[in-house]
Amino acid sequence: MSQTSIQRAALDQESARRRWLLRTAAGALLGLAGALLGLSCGGEELRCWSKERCEPCPGYCLENAWWDGIVNSRRYVVWVGKQGEEPTCEEYGQAWEADRWLDLQDDPTCPPCRCERADCNDGGVGYSMIEECEPPFDDTVKTMRRPWDVCEPTGQTKAATGVAVPWYDERHACRSREDLFQPEATWKRMARICSPVEPAEYSCGDHPAYPTCLLDTRVLSDDFRICVGNPAPFPDDEVIARTACPPEFPERLDIYRAVSGCGACDCEPDGELCSMEFLFYKDEACGDLVLTQTLTTETACTEMAEPVVIGSVKARMLREREGGCVDHGRAGIVEGEKIAPADGSALCCKPAGG
C-alpha cells in the first residue's frame, strides 16, 4: 500500500471516529434533556413554570405559530372592530401591545392633531464613553434611568482620551399622538393587538414554553382573532408585503399606524425644557469627581486633558419640564395629494371565532 493510501485510510478512520463521537454526544444530550423534562411537575405530558402547582389549562391552549421569513414574528390575540367599542387587553388576561387601523374610508379626512407634552426622560438618558470628540462617536451606549442621583459603576477598564458623550431628551418636548385618536372619518376599523400572557401554574402539553394557556375563552368570540405577524417592522420593510400568509392563518389583515397626504402636526412646547447633569468619577463609588456636564437637547462632547478611566456615573435632574404644548395644526400639506394609508404592516390570522 502506498504512503498516500495509508494517509487517506487514516483520515477516513479519524473522520468516522469523530462522527461516532458526535452522535454519541448528541444522544447523551437528548437523554439528559428528556430526563430533566421528566423531572418537571405532572410527568411526561404536563409542563408548567410554577413551583407551587401545575395543572392542565382550564381554558384554551394557544398553539405555537410562525410566519416564516418575517423578522420578529410572534403570536397575538387581536380584536377588530369600530373605534370606541374596543375592549382592554387586560380584561381578557392579555397585555396590550399596540393599536392599528384598517380600511381607509372611501372619502377620508385627516385626523385632527393632538399635541401632548412628553415627560422628561421617558426612556431614560443615554451616554457613551469615547476616545475623542470626533464623529462618528462610539456607539456603546449605556442608559441611566430613575431614580436619579444614584451612583452606577460603569465597569470600564479602558481610559477615555475624550470624555463621555451624553445626550438628553432625543424626542421632542411635545409630540402629536395621532395613534391615540383616529376618528371614523379616517378609518373604518381598528385593531387592538394583545400579547398573550402565559400563566405560570397552567400547562399546555409537553413543551414548557409553547403553547400558551388562554384562561379567558372569550378571546375566541367573533370580534377576536388568533394571529401571527410583526405589527412594527423596520421602516420601508417590504418583506411582509410580498410574503404570503401561512395556510393555518389564511386571513390577512393589512394594518397601519398613520396616513400620508396630511402633512405633519406642528406641536411647540410652551414653557421651560428639562435640565439634567451627568457627573463622572474615577472610582466605582462616585467619590473622585472627574467632570460635571450639563445636558441639553443636543449631543455634547467634552475632551479631557489626559486619559481617564471613568469608574462610575451619576445623573441628576436639575429642572423638570414645565408648561404645556401649543397645537399649530398641520403643516406641509401638499395641495392635490390624496390621503393614503402609511406606515403599514400585516397580521395573518385564523378567521374570526376560529
Side-chain angles (χ1 to χ4, degrees), residues 53 73 155 197 221 265 277 320:
R53 61 191 179 96
S73 177
V197 176
S221 70
C265 293
E277 67 176 3
E320 294 279 1

Side-chain angles (χ1 to χ4, degrees), residues 19-103:
R19 288 197 300 270
W20 179 83
L21 288 173
L22 287 173
R23 287 197 300 270
T24 303
L29 287 174
L30 287 173
L32 177 59
L36 291 173
L37 285 174
L39 293 176
S40 62
C41 69
E44 191 65 25
E45 296 299 326
L46 193 61
R47 310 282 183 237
C48 71
W49 299 108
S50 174
K51 294 181 180 180
E52 287 76 28
R53 61 191 179 96
C54 185
E55 300 176 6
C57 175
Y60 173 77
C61 282
L62 178 64
E63 65 273 21
N64 190 24
W66 301 100
W67 189 1
D68 291 338
I70 304 303
V71 178
N72 296 327
S73 177
R74 291 170 46 199
R75 297 170 297 171
Y76 297 99
V77 177
V78 182
W79 178 91
V80 179
K82 288 185 177 182
Q83 178 180 340
E85 299 178 0
E86 66 274 13
T88 65
C89 297
E90 289 74 17
E91 66 184 286
Y92 288 86
Q94 312 296 306
W96 180 84
E97 182 77 21
D99 288 339
R100 296 292 184 264
W101 310 96
L102 303 87
D103 307 331

Side-chain angles (χ1 to χ4, degrees), residues 323-336:
C325 295
V326 178
D327 180 0
H328 294 292
R330 293 190 173 274
I333 299 177
V334 178
E335 185 176 354

Side-chain angles (χ1 to χ4, degrees), residues 70-336:
I70 304 303
V71 178
N72 296 327
S73 177
R74 291 170 46 199
R75 297 170 297 171
Y76 297 99
V77 177
V78 182
W79 178 91
V80 179
K82 288 185 177 182
Q83 178 180 340
E85 299 178 0
E86 66 274 13
T88 65
C89 297
E90 289 74 17
E91 66 184 286
Y92 288 86
Q94 312 296 306
W96 180 84
E97 182 77 21
D99 288 339
R100 296 292 184 264
W101 310 96
L102 303 87
D103 307 331
L104 204 63
Q105 291 287 358
D106 298 331
D107 186 19
T109 60
C110 294
C113 295
R114 174 174 161 177
C115 296
E116 66 177 25
R117 190 181 73 183
D119 290 336
C120 300
N121 59 77
D122 274 355
V125 183
Y127 70 95
S128 178
M129 283 166 286
I130 64 169
E131 295 185 4
E132 58 181 7
C133 286
E134 293 292 336
F137 298 127
D138 185 358
D139 59 358
T140 305
V141 177
K142 294 180 179 291
T143 302
M144 304 285 284
R145 303 184 188 277
R146 289 182 184 272
W148 304 121
D149 217 12
V150 175
C151 183
E152 290 195 16
T154 64
Q156 293 292 310
T157 58
K158 183 179 179 181
T161 45
V163 157
V165 178
W167 71 85
Y168 169 69
D169 199 9
E170 283 188 295
R171 293 173 298 277
H172 295 294
C174 292
R175 59 193 173 196
S176 171
R177 299 305 302 270
E178 295 176 60
D179 58 319
L180 298 183
F181 185 62
Q182 299 274 9
E184 291 185 5
T186 308
W187 300 96
K188 295 178 181 178
R189 295 188 297 169
M190 72 169 290
R192 171 147 291 177
I193 304 170
C194 307
S195 293
V197 176
E198 180 163 2
E201 65 271 23
Y202 294 111
S203 164
C204 268
D206 58 358
H207 297 286
Y210 309 105
T212 298
C213 175
L214 300 182
L215 296 179
D216 195 331
T217 56
R218 291 180 298 164
V219 297
L220 304 178
S221 70
D222 293 342
D223 292 332
F224 281 91
R225 290 159 172 79
I226 306 301
C227 306
V228 294
N230 180 2
F234 294 111
D236 302 322
D237 188 348
E238 298 181 356
V239 176
I240 288 179
R242 63 174 182 261
T243 304
C245 285
E248 61 271 30
F249 294 87
E251 182 187 21
R252 183 184 179 95
L253 297 179
D254 291 304
I255 55 177
Y256 302 91
R257 294 198 213 196
V259 291
S260 63
C262 289
C265 293
D266 184 8
C267 301
E268 180 185 11
D270 180 19
E272 295 292 330
L273 297 179
C274 305
S275 178
M276 295 189 69
E277 67 176 3
F278 262 54
L279 297 92
F280 300 96
Y281 301 85
K282 290 184 179 179
D283 63 317
E284 296 183 356
C286 296
D288 190 356
L289 182 64
V290 177
L291 175 74
T292 299
Q293 188 168 23
T294 301
L295 307 186
T296 68
T297 55
E298 302 293 332
T299 298
C301 186
T302 304
E303 293 184 351
M304 293 184 292
E306 58 183 20
V308 176
V309 175
I310 305 297
S312 56
V313 180
K314 188 183 292 186
R316 179 175 296 160
M317 179 67 70
L318 300 179
R319 183 183 65 232
E320 294 279 1
R321 182 172 293 147
E322 299 174 355
C325 295
V326 178
D327 180 0
H328 294 292
R330 293 190 173 274
I333 299 177
V334 178
E335 185 176 354

Side-chain angles (χ1 to χ4, degrees), residues 333-345:
I333 299 177
V334 178
E335 185 176 354
E337 185 176 356
K338 292 184 178 180
I339 299 173
D343 198 0
S345 184

